[in-house]
Amino acid sequence: MRLGVLLLAGALALPAHSIRIVQSNDDGWAELYIRTLNSALRAAGHAVVLSAPADDRSGTGSRDEPPAPRARPCAYDSCPARAGPVGSNATRPDLNWVNSFPVTAIKYGIDTFGPRLWHGAAPELAVTGPNVGVNLWLTVPFSGTVGAACFAAHDAGIPAIAFSAASTRRAAWDVSPVPDRSFVYAQLATALTNKIVASGKPYLPKDVFLNVNFPKVKGACTDASNFKWVLSRINLGIFSPPDVEWCGSKRLPTELYVSGRGGCYISVSIGDASDKTTINDGRQKVVLDKLRDMLVCLP
């Protein structure tokens, strides 16, 4: 698979209209997954501003601290030593790093970098990841990728999607050749993003974020067309009210269960951005109606 194929896939999957997207992660602005997705979203016509930590800040949850000046280069030598607390690519002002945590980074994207390029306009959607490694159930509260998405949805009022990926080998933004797993995850994340955009505003209900986990790219799961989307929940629902009725049940499968089934199943959980647990009210149906025709039931 080559970049031209990815760009063509993005062009063929154009949403109803392009929108302004702020992008972040917790693995760092120079990590390959976020850069490949950035290319795919831009190829689909969106105006994207990337604002992510200068280095790997995995597992930092919702920490938020003012960025400090750097003494060393950014990860993968992607910024020079003694650069400032924040910075941008010299030729791509839409690519930005913040020497702090994911929440801090996405705040800069929302409040500073985005409006600077969009003539004062705010982002319409936040996309974080794909995270290098899954974020399922008990790990969700500790994920910086999830933390950034929840800040966007809960604090900034911007609908958000957090993507995480099971294929965990790290790579720099400029690795060559680009491994297929990065292209596949970018195609899939762009497809769901475009689906949400095409569903119309509001793209997601208030305080909702989607927690999306991709399986490993291997075996039969090496072509984006072979993957299946499954509506799920983050945590167990033993003591919670019934879920939206779907697939003949009033209890959605947990994302951990979907992940453990094997195969090419992608879990899509409807998360509460205020506490990082499962939304368990009428907002589930709103999201189901937006995604219904792309979802499958587990066998």
Side-chain angles (χ1 to χ4, degrees), residues 230-255 258 268-272 277-288 292:
V230 177
L231 195 65
S232 56
R233 56 183 293 121
I234 295 171
N235 49 300
L236 299 174
I238 299 173
F239 300 109
S240 61
D243 291 320
V244 62
E245 186 169 358
W246 178 240
C247 296
S249 174
K250 291 187 177 180
R251 180 63 71 211
L252 297 173
T254 65
E255 55 192 16
V258 175
V268 183
S269 295
I270 307 167
D272 188 333
T277 62
T278 299
I279 284 287
N280 201 209
D281 56 31
R283 288 171 289 178
Q284 281 185 333
K285 186 177 185 305
V286 175
V287 176
L288 170 60
R292 186 182 298 269

Side-chain angles (χ1 to χ4, degrees), residues 171-182:
W173 65 277
D174 58 351
V175 67
S176 182
V178 176
D180 283 356
R181 66 182 185 277
S182 193

Side-chain angles (χ1 to χ4, degrees), residues 14 36 39 48 51 75 82 84 108 117 126 170 177 193 221 228 255:
L14 286 175
T36 310
S39 295
V48 189
S51 181
R82 294 177 296 280
Y108 266 78
L117 292 179
R170 295 181 179 275
T193 299
C221 306
K228 309 295 182 184
E255 55 192 16

Side-chain angles (χ1 to χ4, degrees), residues 117-141:
L117 292 179
W118 298 327
H119 306 290
E124 298 168 274
L125 183 71
V127 172
T128 63
N131 190 74
V132 182
V134 294
N135 284 303
L136 301 164
W137 190 26
L138 295 178
T139 64
V140 167

Side-chain angles (χ1 to χ4, degrees), residues 32-33 167-171 178-186 217:
L32 177 63
Y33 283 173
S167 292
T168 56
R169 191 177 306 171
R170 295 181 179 275
V178 176
D180 283 356
R181 66 182 185 277
S182 193
F183 284 122
V184 170
Y185 291 145
V217 173

Side-chain angles (χ1 to χ4, degrees), residues 159-235:
I161 309 173
F163 293 105
S164 300
S167 292
T168 56
R169 191 177 306 171
R170 295 181 179 275
W173 65 277
D174 58 351
V175 67
S176 182
V178 176
D180 283 356
R181 66 182 185 277
S182 193
F183 284 122
V184 170
Y185 291 145
Q187 284 181 287
L188 294 168
T190 300
L192 183 62
T193 299
N194 286 349
K195 181 68 174 177
I196 289 295
V197 172
S199 74
K201 291 185 176 181
Y203 297 128
L204 292 172
K206 180 179 172 57
D207 258 352
V208 166
F209 80 101
L210 299 184
N211 191 50
V212 181
N213 280 276
F214 300 127
K216 287 186 176 181
V217 173
K218 66 176 185 178
C221 306
T222 54
D223 187 313
S225 65
N226 291 336
F227 286 74
K228 309 295 182 184
W229 305 86
V230 177
L231 195 65
S232 56
R233 56 183 293 121
I234 295 171
N235 49 300

